[in-house]
Amino acid sequence: MISNSLNISIDKIKGVGPKVNAELQKLGINSIQDALFLLPKRYENRTKITQIKDLKVGEAFQFEGEIVESKIYYPGRRSFYAKVSDGTGYLQIRLFYFSHAQASAFKKGLIVRGYGVIRSSTSIFQCFHPSYKIFESSKRPLLDNTLTPIYSLGSSQLTQYRTRSIIKECLKELDVIDLNEKAIDKLLKEKRMNSFSIKEALEKIHNPEIKDDVLKINSFKHEAQERLIIEELATNLIGVKIASKKIDKLKAKKIKNLSADLTSFLNDLPFQLTEAQQRTIREILDDISKEKPMRRLVQGDVGSGKTIVAAASMFSAAKSGYQSVLLCPTEVLAEQHYKNFLEWFKKTDIPIKLLTGKMTSSIKKNIYKDLENGRTKILIGTHAVFQEKVKIKDLSLVVVDEQQRFGVKQRYDLVQKSSIELMPHQLFMTATPIPRTLAMTLFADLNTSKIDEMPPGRKPVKTLVYKSNKKEDLVQRLEAVCKKGNQVFWLCTMIEESENLDVQAAEDAKTWIEKNTKNLNIGLVHSKLSKESRDKAIKEFRSGKTNVLVCTTVIEVGMDVPNASLMIIENAERLGLSQLHQLRGRVGRKAGQDAYCVLVYQGELGEIAKARLEAMKSTSDGFKISEIDLQLRGSGEILGTRQSGGIELKISDLSRDAHLIKKAEKLANHLQESSQNLSEILLNRWIGDKQNLIIAQ
Ligand code: ADP
Ligand code: MG
């Protein structure tokens, strides 16, 4: 704690009544300290207004202008637009979800001040769903005089405004009197690691002044931010050390290496494993034959064949009489793996079950029963596996597919499922490379296998970039592919913040394709469809009954339909580089196949979007892609997301902050030498009751 007063409950703060308190709880905020360490994920600059003529596409700005026209219109989807002018140009505000009251507030002659990312159609700047205020020209509100911090508010109902005002109140309580805090400040200063005290750093981070370098702050390179990053990384290093000691004491079931059985299982597969797959399986089998719980990360690019590696490991566990779980981030993926497993295991007598959230409770009950009595040997499932009712008698191995999609807490809950007093072996699979030094410093006892080879005969997917007004070309390409008997993914995305808009866009796209093509069957998958309709659409696409599957990013990870050879991504400029790479990996999954990915963008491209699409065109190597991704995101991209590699960090980003690791190590060493007390303060602050979780990380 910073001082005793900061440990007091958050409901003592002005403005925090029972309702707000309940919302704060959802964010894990109980005390003043917790609120102070809810750190902004990015900043907006609302201290100035940019003239419309100076706006740049792809970046966020604050703009202001008089409403000259507004209208609700219905071609395709219902939407609203308001045209504003500031004398230097015109800008169109567009809303796709709005109430009548919202629309009618845009009265001609009033002034609107908005903030949002600028897009453009051919003729005019546009801003979709900006945050905005409307007022009379005589009642112009003052501009902000600090950068505006934006917080991650998850599922809570708090507004940014309310959150900011609560944190402002908390900052008033920030009075460093604690001697231990002073000791840490002093240590950092004396060792010339950082000159900010914790108090100064927090004040700066929640309220950066405009004279502070906006770019530096937005890219988290300000010294105040570094103060906290170093502290957080150091704390994690200490946590990992403690966790490693704990893991050393835990025991796992030894899984026998029955190589004859496994060889015949692998020989029955429809393909031969690559060298890299075989090597990875050997590394896993070696680990799980020991009493020390395995913690192994399998990194392999999209399409490198990670699933069969998981299957081989789970086969071995089952043959030793134990149970294992394959955890998947989406239902689509779980169902696909289940289908593949049934095929691969059909000559064995190993009982395999699927568990997803949407199953009926009577089906689930049966599944639970056979997990608890140990009969089901292999379980493939989604988050539904975390349910408290799920008990697994002899859980010996947990495989987490697309591990970056899961939180540490979830994985920890899973390893606790076993009724035996043992720790299961853990295998994490990912296509997102985590730099080795970081993986080693931040994951306890983690070993890595690399599948650095693609199955034979794969050709790189050819990538094309189209402007959206070339849709006719697209139709030709699509028809040609279908004529050859291959299939097409048509992926829709509108605005990343809104799932609803994606859904609408997908429905519109389906109608459009139907209108503009002949004799094609078009399927549709999005998150708002019932499970039955979705299952049906996916099944029909897999079986080749439909030629085109129009979808949203629900299919992003893992989806495997080898006959699909064309991936069309609309509004590709809105997606991040690793996401684009994942999506492109849905095609080109068969030897000898000529596969294409067409990235369609709208309007003018911003600098970073342009660089991203260029990168997609120039390489298909996942490791290169993630390097470029890093450079682009490191350059202060406004919409950049924080890649955490599954680790829940409050401010640090493993990729962005690699250069601070040395300092963090130094701090960690000093803290541990100086007094146990100091480490404990930091463990409480940064990791809190999640300390146990590091062993699942
Ligand atoms: P990812 O690493 O992206 O999870 P998958 O495990 O889904 O990749 O495998 C991609 C496709 O390649 C699947 O259709 C799978 O059956 C196939 N596959 C996997 N290994 C091989 C191999 N050694 N030879 C040929 N095809 C393979
Ligand atoms: Mg996969």
Side-chain angles (χ1 to χ4, degrees):
M1 68 220 90
I2 289 174
S3 72
N4 288 335
S5 69
L6 291 192
N7 246 359
I8 39 180
S9 149
I10 189 74
D11 59 5
K12 300 288 178 294
I13 286 288
K14 205 171 103 194
V16 181
K19 247 187 168 163
V20 171
N21 195 17
E23 296 303 323
L24 286 165
Q25 303 286 319
K26 286 188 195 162
L27 296 172
I29 295 176
N30 301 304
S31 65
I32 295 181
Q33 165 157 290
D34 293 339
L36 288 172
F37 283 85
L38 176 72
L39 299 169
K41 63 173 198 284
R42 63 187 172 88
Y43 297 88
E44 292 179 356
N45 186 355
R46 301 192 194 177
T47 62
K48 62 171 185 198
I49 284 165
T50 304
Q51 294 193 326
I52 292 178
K53 70 172 169 50
D54 295 330
L55 296 176
K56 283 198 210 98
V57 172
E59 291 176 37
F61 290 97
Q62 179 158 258
F63 54 84
E64 187 176 294
E66 186 181 327
I67 300 166
V68 292
E69 193 185 341
S70 69
K71 202 166 168 178
I72 298 176
Y73 67 107
Y74 297 88
R77 100 186 50 134
R78 172 177 179 263
S79 75
F80 169 82
Y81 78 79
K83 196 170 163 188
V84 304
S85 158
D86 68 351
T88 73
Y90 291 99
L91 176 138
Q92 206 182 52
I93 291 173
R94 296 190 59 177
L95 307 178
F96 300 96
Y97 286 85
F98 55 94
S99 64
H100 200 74
Q102 252 176 316
S104 54
F106 282 84
K107 287 201 182 67
K108 219 170 138 175
L110 290 180
I111 309 291
V112 57
R113 181 184 292 171
Y115 184 98
V117 176
I118 304 301
R119 316 167 128 242
S120 93
S121 73
T122 38
S123 56
I124 191 168
F125 285 123
Q126 294 181 319
C127 190
F128 291 4
H129 286 263
S131 57
Y132 63 86
K133 290 181 212 154
I134 296 173
F135 45 86
E136 289 170 26
S137 59
S138 59
K139 294 188 182 143
R140 210 166 164 261
L142 289 176
L143 287 167
D144 289 355
N145 55 12
T146 68
L147 291 177
T148 310
I150 304 293
Y151 300 93
S152 269
L153 299 177
S155 63
S156 89
Q157 301 291 317
L158 291 169
T159 60
Q160 291 290 337
Y161 181 80
R162 174 59 66 94
T163 310
R164 280 195 290 273
S165 80
I166 292 169
I167 291 177
K168 257 185 201 143
E169 285 300 315
C170 292
L171 280 170
K172 289 185 194 157
E173 308 287 320
L174 182 62
D175 186 14
V176 181
I177 51 164
D178 188 284
L179 288 178
N180 287 321
E181 279 305 332
K182 283 213 167 125
I184 300 171
D185 289 347
K186 198 165 148 233
L187 196 61
L188 281 157
K189 244 178 225 154
E190 274 178 10
K191 305 288 172 194
R192 293 170 188 268
M193 286 190 268
N194 196 283
S195 66
F196 273 75
S197 72
I198 188 76
K199 176 176 185 298
E200 291 161 343
L202 284 170
E203 277 169 350
K204 182 68 78 191
I205 280 168
H206 290 293
N207 272 316
E209 292 158 51
I210 189 52
K211 67 173 168 29
D212 295 318
D213 186 340
V214 180
L215 272 182
K216 248 190 185 163
I217 290 181
N218 252 328
S219 51
F220 286 77
K221 297 267 189 277
H222 193 283
E223 200 184 351
Q225 292 163 315
E226 293 189 343
R227 163 69 165 86
L228 296 189
I229 293 168
I230 295 168
E231 198 180 287
E232 181 172 45
L233 291 178
T235 310
N236 271 276
L237 289 169
I238 295 170
V240 163
K241 265 193 205 156
I242 298 172
S244 296
K245 279 193 198 135
K246 276 192 200 153
I247 292 172
D248 278 343
K249 293 195 193 115
L250 292 169
K251 292 200 167 67
K253 287 269 189 197
K254 289 187 193 171
I255 293 174
K256 284 176 242 151
N257 188 346
L258 303 159
S259 51
D261 286 348
L262 184 61
T263 307
S264 83
F265 172 74
L266 295 174
N267 281 342
D268 283 339
L269 292 174
F271 46 75
Q272 202 183 352
L273 295 184
T274 61
E275 269 304 314
Q277 285 170 317
Q278 292 179 33
R279 184 185 60 233
T280 303
I281 293 174
R282 276 200 303 276
E283 286 167 350
I284 295 166
L285 292 184
D286 192 42
D287 279 0
I288 61 183
S289 68
K290 299 189 179 124
E291 207 167 48
K292 182 179 159 71
M294 170 178 74
R295 295 170 40 73
R296 183 168 286 278
L297 179 72
V298 174
Q299 292 187 358
D301 207 350
V302 254
S304 62
K306 294 183 286 295
T307 320
I308 187 64
V309 168
S313 319
M314 296 171 87
F315 173 87
S316 302
K319 278 288 164 193
S320 292
Y322 303 133
Q323 293 167 287
S324 60
V325 173
L326 172 58
L327 190 64
C328 312
T330 65
E331 298 211 352
V332 170
L333 196 52
E335 283 156 16
Q336 171 185 298
H337 285 341
Y338 178 62
K339 199 178 147 266
N340 281 334
F341 271 56
L342 289 183
E343 188 60 33
W344 293 335
F345 283 78
K346 71 180 173 214
K347 289 197 184 156
T348 73
D349 51 3
I350 296 171
I352 304 175
K353 284 277 161 62
L354 173 72
L355 178 63
T356 66
K358 284 189 176 158
M359 292 175 151
T360 64
S361 53
S362 65
I363 294 183
K364 277 187 191 155
K365 237 190 215 152
N366 276 324
I367 296 174
Y368 297 159
K369 203 178 78 209
D370 285 351
L371 287 170
E372 196 163 359
N373 66 26
R375 197 173 302 143
T376 296
K377 294 298 181 221
I378 292 183
L379 178 70
I380 297 173
T382 57
H383 295 77
V385 175
F386 299 128
Q387 291 278 313
E388 220 174 289
K389 288 181 211 138
V390 178
K391 301 206 170 61
I392 307 173
K393 183 165 172 245
D394 278 326
L395 181 59
S396 67
L397 170 65
V398 169
V399 185
V400 185
D401 195 13
E402 307 289 348
Q403 69 92 30
Q404 75 283 1
R405 291 299 192 97
F406 290 92
V408 186
K409 171 83 174 76
Q410 297 174 317
R411 285 188 253 139
Y412 182 72
D413 287 350
L414 191 58
V415 298
Q416 300 289 304
K417 288 272 174 210
S418 176
S419 63
I420 39 186
E421 289 300 301
L422 291 165
M423 174 86 173
H425 296 290
Q426 295 180 78
L427 184 64
F428 309 118
M429 305 201 292
T430 184
T432 314
I434 302 169
R436 194 178 140 74
T437 46
L438 294 176
M440 297 210 328
T441 32
L442 290 170
F443 293 84
D445 277 355
L446 192 76
N447 291 311
T448 317
S449 298
K450 274 207 180 112
I451 307 187
D452 48 8
E453 181 185 358
M454 283 289 176
R458 297 278 175 83
K459 296 187 188 169
V461 178
K462 292 197 189 73
T463 303
L464 310 163
V465 176
Y466 274 23
K467 202 163 170 165
S468 61
N469 55 8
K470 286 211 308 192
K471 268 198 171 159
E472 280 62 41
D473 293 10
L474 215 54
V475 166
Q476 273 180 13
R477 195 170 274 283
L478 182 152
E479 285 185 318
V481 165
C482 297
K483 212 168 180 181
K484 277 200 338 212
N486 284 57
Q487 290 166 283
V488 181
F489 284 108
W490 184 299
L491 187 111
C492 296
T493 144
M494 281 291 294
I495 297 186
E496 56 230 271
E497 293 84 18
S498 168
E499 215 173 75
N500 290 334
L501 292 182
D502 278 7
V503 168
Q504 183 65 52
E507 279 166 1
D508 292 351
K510 178 168 186 275
T511 316
W512 190 89
I513 301 167
E514 276 164 349
K515 228 195 252 163
N516 290 279
T517 59
K518 272 186 240 116
N519 305 326
L520 292 183
N521 292 320
I522 322 283
L524 179 67
V525 184
H526 59 61
S527 56
K528 293 281 152 68
L529 290 177
S530 70
K531 174 167 162 40
E532 290 72 38
S533 325
R534 236 164 65 187
D535 282 355
K536 190 161 163 261
I538 289 172
K539 210 166 148 198
E540 289 179 350
F541 189 62
R542 266 190 214 298
S543 70
K545 198 169 165 197
T546 42
N547 310 88
V548 180
L549 186 66
V550 176
C551 48
T552 59
T553 44
V554 291
I555 64 130
E556 177 188 336
V557 290
M559 181 92 161
D560 187 42
V561 180
N563 192 45
S565 69
L566 173 61
M567 163 65 72
I568 294 168
I569 304 176
E570 282 202 86
N571 295 307
E573 78 278 14
R574 302 289 302 169
L575 298 178
L577 202 44
S578 355
Q579 205 178 0
L580 287 171
H581 181 65
Q582 266 281 354
L583 288 165
R584 176 171 62 184
R586 300 308 111 222
V587 297
R589 295 169 85 87
K590 201 156 84 180
Q593 185 187 66
D594 285 308
Y596 292 87
C597 173
V598 183
L599 306 171
V600 185
Y601 67 93
Q602 270 202 8
E604 297 304 316
L605 285 176
E607 283 304 312
I608 289 174
K610 204 181 275 172
R612 269 201 224 112
L613 300 188
E614 269 310 311
M616 285 294 289
K617 260 198 333 201
S618 67
T619 179
S620 54
D621 177 332
F623 281 82
K624 275 207 193 107
I625 294 265
S626 74
E627 254 169 43
I628 301 174
D629 197 19
L630 206 75
Q631 286 165 7
L632 293 180
R633 283 188 297 124
S635 66
E637 182 186 6
I638 290 162
L639 286 174
T641 52
R642 256 173 52 204
Q643 179 190 8
S644 66
I647 302 171
E648 283 152 9
L649 296 167
K650 287 186 202 284
I651 183 167
S652 318
D653 175 321
L654 290 186
S655 334
R656 184 194 64 207
D657 302 326
H659 63 289
L660 294 175
I661 275 278
K662 281 256 145 38
K663 282 188 178 173
E665 271 167 357
K666 198 164 146 190
L667 177 61
N669 289 337
H670 283 301
L671 287 172
Q672 285 183 310
E673 278 162 23
S674 62
S675 102
Q676 183 59 21
N677 218 345
L678 295 185
S679 309
E680 223 133 77
I681 290 176
L682 295 187
L683 284 166
N684 279 331
R685 168 182 304 157
W686 293 100
I687 308 182
D689 54 7
K690 299 199 191 80
Q691 284 180 47
N692 279 334
L693 303 185
I694 296 181
I695 57 174
Q697 184 153 288

